[in-house]
Amino acid sequence: MDGSCLDLMEARIPRGEVRTRFAPSPTGYMHVGGLRTALYTYLIAKKMGGKFILRIEDTDSARFVEGAVDVIIRTLKSVGLDYDEGPDIGGPCAPYTQSERKPLYRPYAELLCRTGAAYYCFCGHIAHEERGHEMLGVVSAVQDPCRDLPYSESKQRADSGESHVIRMKTPRSGSTSFHDEIYGDITVENSTLDDMVLLKSDNLPTYNFANVIDDHLMGITHVVRGSEYLASAPKYNLLYKAFGWDIPVYITVSPIMRDAHNKFSKRHGDPTYEDLLAEGYLKEAVINYIALLGWSPGGEREKFSLAELTEAFDFRDISKSPAIFDAVKLTHFNAEYIRALKPEEFLEAARDSIVETVGSGMDIGLIAALLHQRCEKLTDIGPQISFLKSLPDYRTELFENKKSKTDKEISLQMLRELRALLSDVSDWSVEGLKNPITGLAEKLNVKNATLLWPLRIALSGLAVTPGGAFEICSLLGKHESLRRIDLAVSRLSSES
């Protein structure tokens, strides 16, 4: 690739607009910190009328997981972080997968060699430094004998096929400064920086070098990244200056913590985004909550839709302080979101869990209506309605309730009266059951609760249930309701 090709690539760079990118490695899952980075990156682009880009950084083959790209794409689309350019939809800077951009990197590395900002290194003890994600290197500028080789000699050796890497020629004196929108101005002595590898011996770029090249060629103006990359920023800036390119705006976010001392990490058993969905959290609640992990909108308001976050978000309000992931607060958020759903929306969200627990033969709409205001997470559904599928073993002491004025003896009497009544009832709907049962209470001169408490215990075996006796009767159907009443009568009779 000659200079004219480089000029053509430069000419393709989109300019005149804000452009942000989310550039994950395909490691198999979307962790919470990565999703927060994607969210902030999206919000900056949309707030400023720009473009949000998805780029897949897959040059580290040791970390690549088959199918992980699909997970990334599916997650972003499911939460509404719609990107304007990406590997599956294309765009003016395609391709958007690093492994497909392999031919682009060597010409830029060789350009730096020609200008004296980088050099070919033929030292044999560099293999292990190529494996790490950071690619920091271990050969210092003073120790590396290749640093001062004449360009013509090293170029000839490289062209002849001799194994080599290309390293940045870091200045040995002076300092390098960079500005971060969150952390301010930071200066690092060049003597503390090594000659990092730019191009590995397999001709693939290191993570840092590929980042700089791709960000430049894609016209990226704002870069959101984790605080672990602060140490790499001086090297990035040295590369930008060596090429004579504009440096993007850096926005560094603090880590998400499990507690005051430990980072939130999948490796330590903390949940990924997919895990949170499996635990019964709504995607809207998750997005809202992670937006607040390190960013404050000011004021008391905390609940935001994605559109409202776009309006409210200002990256200058991101905090340097680490954010602690609080599952209790997320659950509180989730409960608010669930209860704010329209009945038909909750039915759709809850349908799979309901059917999985009780099957499809019952009135799913009625069950959803009973559960709607009783759930903090969708995983609360199964335990609350499992009694509909199978009557649990229960203690007869449950029939004793002072408020309903029942004990075991009274409950036995009420259940016998109910059994005789209900055997002749044909309308087994909620409304069809109310009139005859309340009429029986009036006939027996007892409170409705004195009849309904033992009936509900007999039907459910639980002190607390979603819905009352009328709804449970209707859901179980006549045959199962009478069978459970008979079972309760038999148990109470045996104790009298």
Side-chain angles (χ1 to χ4, degrees):
M1 189 179 291
D2 57 22
S4 62
C5 291
L6 294 180
D7 290 340
L8 286 174
M9 287 194 291
E10 295 290 316
R12 291 176 58 201
I13 298 173
R15 304 182 191 277
E17 62 181 355
V18 168
R19 291 174 62 82
T20 68
R21 51 76 170 168
F22 177 50
S25 297
T27 56
Y29 55 85
M30 177 70 79
H31 57 82
V32 171
L35 186 56
R36 182 187 64 170
T37 298
L39 175 61
Y40 287 0
T41 303
Y42 169 89
L43 293 174
I44 290 168
K46 297 310 170 184
K47 179 68 175 288
M48 303 176 78
K51 297 289 197 311
F52 171 55
I53 296 150
L54 173 62
R55 185 174 76 221
I56 302 299
E57 302 196 337
D58 63 343
T59 54
D60 188 348
S61 58
R63 301 177 70 234
F64 179 80
V65 174
E66 193 68 37
V69 174
D70 293 334
V71 171
I72 293 166
I73 290 173
R74 183 172 64 249
T75 299
L76 294 181
K77 290 184 176 180
S78 73
V79 298
L81 302 185
D82 298 324
Y83 42 90
D84 301 287
E85 302 167 27
D88 59 327
I89 61 175
C93 303
Y96 292 88
T97 300
Q98 271 188 351
S99 60
E100 298 174 14
R101 299 172 64 83
K102 182 177 177 180
L104 303 179
Y105 303 112
R106 186 169 189 89
Y108 282 100
E110 291 186 329
L111 174 61
L112 293 180
C113 290
R114 289 198 300 273
T115 60
Y119 62 94
Y120 299 94
C121 175
F122 305 92
C123 300
H125 51 297
I126 51 89
H128 65 285
E129 73 184 85
E130 298 179 8
R131 295 197 299 265
H133 186 59
E134 293 78 18
M135 305 301 174
L136 295 178
V138 296
V139 182
S140 73
V142 175
Q143 295 170 328
D144 193 343
C146 302
R147 179 182 168 104
D148 296 321
L149 286 175
Y151 169 72
S152 58
E153 177 186 338
S154 59
K155 172 66 171 169
Q156 184 179 23
R157 289 172 63 180
D159 289 346
S160 70
E162 185 173 348
S163 180
H164 64 279
V165 300
I166 294 179
R167 292 180 174 276
M168 182 171 68
K169 188 177 286 187
T170 304
R172 292 178 173 174
S173 61
S175 61
T176 298
S177 298
F178 67 93
H179 178 76
D180 184 88
E181 291 296 315
I182 309 304
Y183 285 79
D185 294 317
I186 299 175
T187 299
V188 176
E189 294 300 317
N190 290 335
S191 60
T192 66
L193 304 176
D194 58 23
D195 288 0
M196 74 169 177
V197 174
L198 305 180
L199 206 70
K200 299 180 285 185
S201 58
D202 60 5
N203 218 32
L204 285 174
T206 57
Y207 177 84
N208 289 333
F209 187 57
N211 256 267
V212 170
I213 301 302
D214 289 340
D215 282 350
H216 171 69
L217 293 179
M218 293 183 180
I220 302 303
T221 60
H222 295 68
V223 174
V224 180
R225 58 189 184 175
S227 56
E228 65 269 25
Y229 293 104
L230 277 174
S232 303
K235 299 177 182 182
Y236 284 21
N237 279 18
L238 286 172
L239 282 172
Y240 278 110
K241 290 176 182 177
F243 283 119
W245 295 340
D246 292 336
I247 297 172
V249 175
Y250 294 137
I251 302 162
T252 299
V253 295
S254 60
I256 297 175
M257 307 291 287
R258 184 197 320 156
D259 52 44
H261 306 290
N262 299 288
K263 283 187 177 181
F264 195 81
S265 170
K266 172 67 174 177
R267 289 190 298 274
H268 298 135
D270 296 315
T272 65
Y273 169 72
E274 291 86 355
D275 292 333
L276 292 174
L277 295 186
E279 290 172 13
Y281 294 100
L282 300 179
K283 60 187 179 182
E284 295 84 0
V286 173
I287 285 293
N288 190 160
Y289 179 66
I290 67 171
L292 302 174
L293 291 176
W295 169 76
S296 174
E300 298 298 318
R301 182 183 178 188
E302 291 187 315
K303 190 176 178 184
F304 295 86
S305 66
L306 183 58
E308 291 167 338
L309 281 172
T310 302
E311 290 296 319
F313 189 79
D314 187 332
F315 64 76
R316 288 178 287 267
D317 294 325
I318 293 174
S319 172
K320 293 182 192 177
S321 301
I324 294 178
F325 185 93
D326 184 345
V328 173
K329 185 168 185 178
L330 173 58
T331 300
H332 169 73
F333 254 90
N334 204 65
E336 287 192 2
Y337 269 88
I338 284 178
R339 289 161 190 164
L341 291 174
K342 296 176 182 177
E344 61 272 19
E345 292 172 336
F346 179 75
L347 172 58
E348 191 60 32
R351 183 185 300 276
D352 288 347
S353 295
I354 294 173
V355 171
E356 182 180 345
T357 305
V358 302
S360 57
M362 294 187 183
D363 186 340
I364 306 300
L366 174 57
I367 295 174
L370 297 175
L371 290 166
H372 192 176
Q373 299 302 314
R374 298 175 61 90
C375 292
E376 293 187 318
K377 299 185 292 182
L378 295 180
T379 47
D380 294 342
I381 290 173
Q384 290 194 63
I385 62 172
S386 61
F387 73 89
L388 293 170
K389 183 70 173 178
S390 177
L391 180 67
D393 187 25
Y394 62 91
R395 296 176 298 105
T396 54
E397 283 75 18
L398 285 176
F399 287 104
E400 300 171 350
N401 186 275
K402 289 183 179 180
K403 186 175 180 181
S404 299
K405 297 185 177 180
T406 65
D407 55 23
K408 293 182 183 181
E409 183 180 350
I410 294 172
S411 292
L412 177 57
Q413 178 189 353
M414 295 300 105
L415 288 173
R416 283 171 171 163
E417 294 285 353
L418 283 163
R419 179 63 172 83
L421 171 76
L422 293 175
S423 62
D424 293 329
V425 173
S426 57
D427 183 355
W428 212 256
S429 66
V430 172
E431 291 302 318
L433 290 163
K434 280 184 179 179
N435 286 338
I437 292 176
T438 55
L440 177 61
E442 186 176 351
K443 176 183 174 182
L444 297 174
N445 196 28
V446 296
K447 290 184 176 181
N448 287 341
T450 305
L451 269 179
L452 295 176
W453 179 270
L455 176 57
R456 190 173 60 80
I457 297 302
L459 296 172
S460 68
L462 300 172
V464 178
T465 57
F470 299 128
E471 291 84 5
I472 296 172
C473 256
S474 180
L475 289 167
L476 290 173
K478 183 173 183 177
H479 176 76
E480 179 63 14
S481 295
L482 295 179
R483 187 189 74 82
R484 293 188 182 193
I485 292 171
D486 288 341
L487 179 61
V489 168
S490 175
R491 293 186 64 183
L492 289 169
S493 297
S494 67
E495 296 183 14
S496 62

